[in-house]
């Protein structure tokens, strides 16, 4: 972690700390329905407050086109105060007089949440004048929003060029986990990549085959690879026009000495619906009017064996239509197996992406993985090998 400046490198006492957090939580009728992201940033907020820093929270919410009451952070600030067990004041703008006055009224240890940064179009444009307005409010900038680090916006990247910049504890944990996963991992490394479409993960697959020892491909995207190998996949979801891309990825994997592990059997149904009658078939016998909705029992055994051979696992995407029973079987079985290996100290397991987190929660094993990232797009771009603007700005030059 020496490559990034963290809270260990700064004395926050008496300082105005602009803290970029991810408060983009699910809401229903003005109430937060899942406080996971609030719980993730609480340790950084509490630490700065306890050390006598003035905590000034910057965050976006939704995708507003200008000021919009339904995208106000006020109800989120109220929910956050329950999580951190301290009062969280609120300013109804993130720049100008309302923000300046609220900051001037703060005492050491106070917490203030500024209104949605995206109420200003200059936020997403990383406008230098807007960055300067935000920077006036603070002495230092701390980023704790890895989930927004792939965006070069004013509050996620621009401030890092105007103020001394540090990683918060959530950001630090994320960077630490990612380093363990692909930066300098304990080998052998296996990746499990699932999901519906190859088209959304071409860059990811092309990067991973050069980094990992084995790559398990599951979900609808596996059907595209099977089709490219001449397997008849019936009415299954498959991007048949990407067969040449799949072949190119397999050739690149072979050249890099990365084993590609595809399903050897499949769970097939005739309707895309929960509890639809289903049956396991070998790949040579997929019915022409059937749909592959999950891996079959032999494929699950192969995935378990691949996990057993690995010291590090990186996971993004389910192995089947996990949101419907019984087509969650493959994903849940693999998740439980990886969790057991992790608990036995035989595996470092890093997972990320919305569907992946949902699947691990469904299997009741998210807490048993070494690290689970709640950052969707940023986690994917990092796995694709792309530099993230909000991370690069924290590097010790």
């Amino acid at each position: 972690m020496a490559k990034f400046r963290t809270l260990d490198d700064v004395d926050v006492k008496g300082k105005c700390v602009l803290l970029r957090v991810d408060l983009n939580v699910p809401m229903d009728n003005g109430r937060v329905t899942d406080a996971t992201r609030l719980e993730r940033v609480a340790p950084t907020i509490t630490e700065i407050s306890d050390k006598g820093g003035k905590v000034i929270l910057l965050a976006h919410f939704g995708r507003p086109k200008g000021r919009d009451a339904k995208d106000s952070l006020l109800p989120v600030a109220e929910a956050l105060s329950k999580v951190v067990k301290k009062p969280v004041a609120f300013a109804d703008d993130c720049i100008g007089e309302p923000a300046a006055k609220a900051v001037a009224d703060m005492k050491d240890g106070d917490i203030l949440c500024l209104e949605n940064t995206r109420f200003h179009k200059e936020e997403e444009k990383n406008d230098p004048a807007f960055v300067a307005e935000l920077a006036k409010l603070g002495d230092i900038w701390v980023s704790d929003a890895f989930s927004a680090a792939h965006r070069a916006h004013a509050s996620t990247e621009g401030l890092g060029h105007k103020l001394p910049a540090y990683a918060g504890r959530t950001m630090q944990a994320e960077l630490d986990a990612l380093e363990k996963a692909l930066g300098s991992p304990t080998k052998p490394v296996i990746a499990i990549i699932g999901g519906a479409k190859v088209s959304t993960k071409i860059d990811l697959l092309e990067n991973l085959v050069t980094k990992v020892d084995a790559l398990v491909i599951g979900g609808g995207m596996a059907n595209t690879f099977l089709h490219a190998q001449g397997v008849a996949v019936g009415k299954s979801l498959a991007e048949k026009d990407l067969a040449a891309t799949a072949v190119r990825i397999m050739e690149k994997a072979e050249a890099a000495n990365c084993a590609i592990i595809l399903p050897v059997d499949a769970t097939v149904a005739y309707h895309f619906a929960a509890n639809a009658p289903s049956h396991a078939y070998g790949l040579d016998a997929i019915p022409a009017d059937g749909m592959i909705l999950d891996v079959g029992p032999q494929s699950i055994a192969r995935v378990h064996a691949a996990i057993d051979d690995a010291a590090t696992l990186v996971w993004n995407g389910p192995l089947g239509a996990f949101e419907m029973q019984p087509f969650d079987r493959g994903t849940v079985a693999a998740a439980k197996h990886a969790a057991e290996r992790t608990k036995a100290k035989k595996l470092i397991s890093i997972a990320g992406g919305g569907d992946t987190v949902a699947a691990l929660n469904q299997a009741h094993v998210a807490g048993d993985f070494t690290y689970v990232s709640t950052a969707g797009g940023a986690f994917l771009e990092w796995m694709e090998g792309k530099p993230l603007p909000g991370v690069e700005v924290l590097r010790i030059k």
Side-chain angles (χ1 to χ4, degrees):
M1 278 311 298
K3 293 191 296 224
F4 300 96
R5 291 180 296 274
T6 72
L7 287 176
D8 297 326
D9 304 313
V10 62
D11 178 10
V12 296
K13 187 172 172 55
K15 290 199 170 71
C16 290
V17 181
L18 286 174
L19 175 58
R20 180 53 160 99
V21 286
D22 180 357
L23 302 182
N24 220 356
V25 289
M27 304 277 287
D28 186 34
N29 288 329
R31 287 185 55 246
V32 173
T33 55
D34 179 355
T36 306
R37 285 184 164 169
L38 306 185
E39 287 154 10
R40 282 270 170 119
V41 296
T44 303
I45 295 169
T46 308
E47 180 179 341
I48 296 169
S49 168
D50 288 349
K51 287 179 174 174
K54 297 171 185 174
V55 185
I56 304 157
L57 301 174
L58 291 169
H60 73 275
F61 187 78
R63 298 176 181 273
K65 298 278 176 269
R67 187 172 271 276
D68 187 337
K70 78 171 171 27
D71 289 317
S72 172
L73 279 171
L74 178 58
V76 185
E78 290 165 353
L80 180 64
S81 101
K82 293 190 181 79
V83 174
V84 297
K85 299 183 172 55
K86 293 185 178 200
V88 175
F90 187 75
D92 71 357
D93 204 347
C94 61
I95 56 168
E97 182 62 28
K101 184 179 181 315
V103 171
D105 289 343
M106 293 178 82
K107 298 183 192 64
D108 291 358
D110 281 358
I111 303 167
L112 167 70
C113 180
L114 302 182
E115 184 56 284
N116 194 340
T117 55
R118 286 193 186 169
F119 281 179
H120 299 269
K121 64 180 185 300
E122 295 84 357
E123 155 76 347
E124 293 183 70
K125 291 179 177 163
N126 206 353
D127 180 276
F130 183 68
V131 174
E133 282 296 305
L134 290 173
K136 277 186 201 168
L137 302 170
D139 303 308
I140 65 169
W141 174 69
V142 175
S143 179
D144 217 24
F146 177 81
S147 53
H150 57 315
R151 310 256 185 245
H153 293 171
S155 67
T156 62
E157 193 265 354
L159 281 169
H161 299 288
K162 290 288 282 186
L163 295 172
Y166 304 89
R169 296 306 184 197
T170 309
M171 175 74 87
Q172 184 180 347
E174 190 96 30
L175 296 175
D176 212 10
L178 299 187
E179 185 61 21
K180 278 186 188 142
L182 288 184
S184 50
T186 308
K187 288 180 165 283
V189 186
I190 176 185
I192 296 178
I193 304 297
K197 294 182 172 180
V198 173
S199 52
T200 57
K201 295 190 177 176
I202 293 170
D203 291 352
L204 172 63
L205 296 170
E206 295 211 323
N207 184 47
L208 284 179
V209 295
T210 65
K211 295 265 176 78
V212 303
D213 301 290
L215 176 59
V216 173
I217 298 176
M221 53 197 293
N223 303 335
T224 302
F225 280 81
L226 294 173
H227 166 74
Q229 290 184 329
V231 175
V233 294
K235 289 188 173 171
S236 311
L237 173 69
E239 293 173 290
K240 294 182 177 174
D241 55 326
L242 287 181
T245 303
V247 169
R248 186 181 77 230
I249 291 166
M250 289 188 278
E251 286 170 350
K252 191 171 178 182
E254 193 172 352
N257 210 12
C258 165
I260 296 242
I261 300 170
L262 289 166
V264 289
D265 60 348
T267 299
V268 176
Y270 296 91
H271 306 287
F272 188 75
N275 301 310
S278 60
H279 193 283
Y281 290 94
L283 294 183
D284 56 349
I286 306 292
D289 53 348
M291 272 181 282
I292 297 172
L293 294 182
D294 195 11
V295 291
Q298 290 171 305
S299 301
I300 294 171
R302 279 194 79 181
V303 173
H304 287 186
I307 291 170
D308 290 344
D309 287 341
T312 302
L313 163 68
V314 186
W315 189 337
N316 174 261
L319 297 176
F322 81 100
E323 59 282 4
M324 303 186 298
Q325 288 184 336
F327 311 111
D328 60 343
R329 212 169 271 158
T331 304
V332 167
K336 286 184 170 169
H337 193 74
E340 288 303 321
R341 298 282 297 171
T342 306
K343 282 196 289 192
K345 305 270 190 288
K346 291 177 178 167
L347 186 70
I348 293 165
S349 50
I350 317 281
D355 282 350
T356 315
V357 176
L360 297 186
N361 284 332
Q362 198 168 309
H364 305 295
V365 296
D368 297 326
F369 270 55
T370 309
Y371 191 80
V372 177
S373 171
T374 55
F379 183 79
L380 260 181
E381 286 198 21
W382 169 80
M383 283 178 77
E384 289 166 2
K386 295 174 180 168
L388 307 182
V391 170
E392 294 306 308
V393 77
L394 299 170
R395 283 188 193 276
I396 295 167
K397 300 290 186 281

